[in-house]
Amino acid sequence: MKKILAFTGSNSSTSINFQLLTHVANRIQGHEVKVQDFTQYELPIYSVDREMEKGMPIGATIINNIIKDHDALVIAVNEHNGNVSAYFKNIIDWLSRLDRNFLEGKKILLISTSPGKRGAASALEYTKGILPRFGGEVIESFSLPSFNDNFKDGKVLNEVLDMGIEDVLTTFSHQLEE
């Protein structure tokens, strides 16, 4: 049994990506899954000057330790104007300054959604490309388009999309056993 950490790149209290994350996390069988909200840990906007003057914020150290305590990650990537949110980018910036390989040995499942037809695909693609730079291995990814049409009451309404989630979860779970 592997320890899986599930979190979102959104800091919104009404995040649709958090809703999708919770749904996906609840479908993972045979592993210990912890859904984590990182908004409780303060992280100022990254700057070299801030780092030089005040050092590493305690929030970055706490988040890094939580990630290190898990074997794998499920990350829900939200999108702002065709890119990852400033909040998510800021987490990556701080963690990479603390430890360049903060994702070393972590197998990762990326998911995303948005109200639009692309389902945050641009942010998802960016994240797929950037996380391996920090040692992570992206095993699978899944984008749920048109959230408001395809997700209601904690369930994926579209059968084909629901089967797609099941497929990526099956592949992810099998990769965790290797």
Side-chain angles (χ1 to χ4, degrees), residues 9-25:
S10 173
N11 62 348
S12 169
S13 64
T14 60
S15 170
I16 60 176
N17 276 278
F18 187 79
Q19 291 176 55
L20 179 62
L21 178 74
T22 302
H23 171 79
V24 169

Side-chain angles (χ1 to χ4, degrees), residues 162-178:
D162 193 57
M163 288 175 13
I165 291 173
E166 192 60 37
D167 285 347
V168 298
L169 285 173
T170 299
T171 301
F172 183 62
S173 291
H174 286 313
Q175 288 292 318
L176 292 179
E177 301 306 321
E178 293 183 357

Side-chain angles (χ1 to χ4, degrees), residues 42-66:
E42 188 174 335
L43 283 179
I45 296 296
Y46 179 77
S47 82
V48 172
D49 294 337
R50 195 300 182 182
E51 181 183 5
M52 297 296 263
E53 290 171 16
K54 297 183 180 181
M56 196 60 54
I58 189 71
T61 303
I62 292 169
I63 292 169
N64 187 56
N65 288 340
I66 292 169

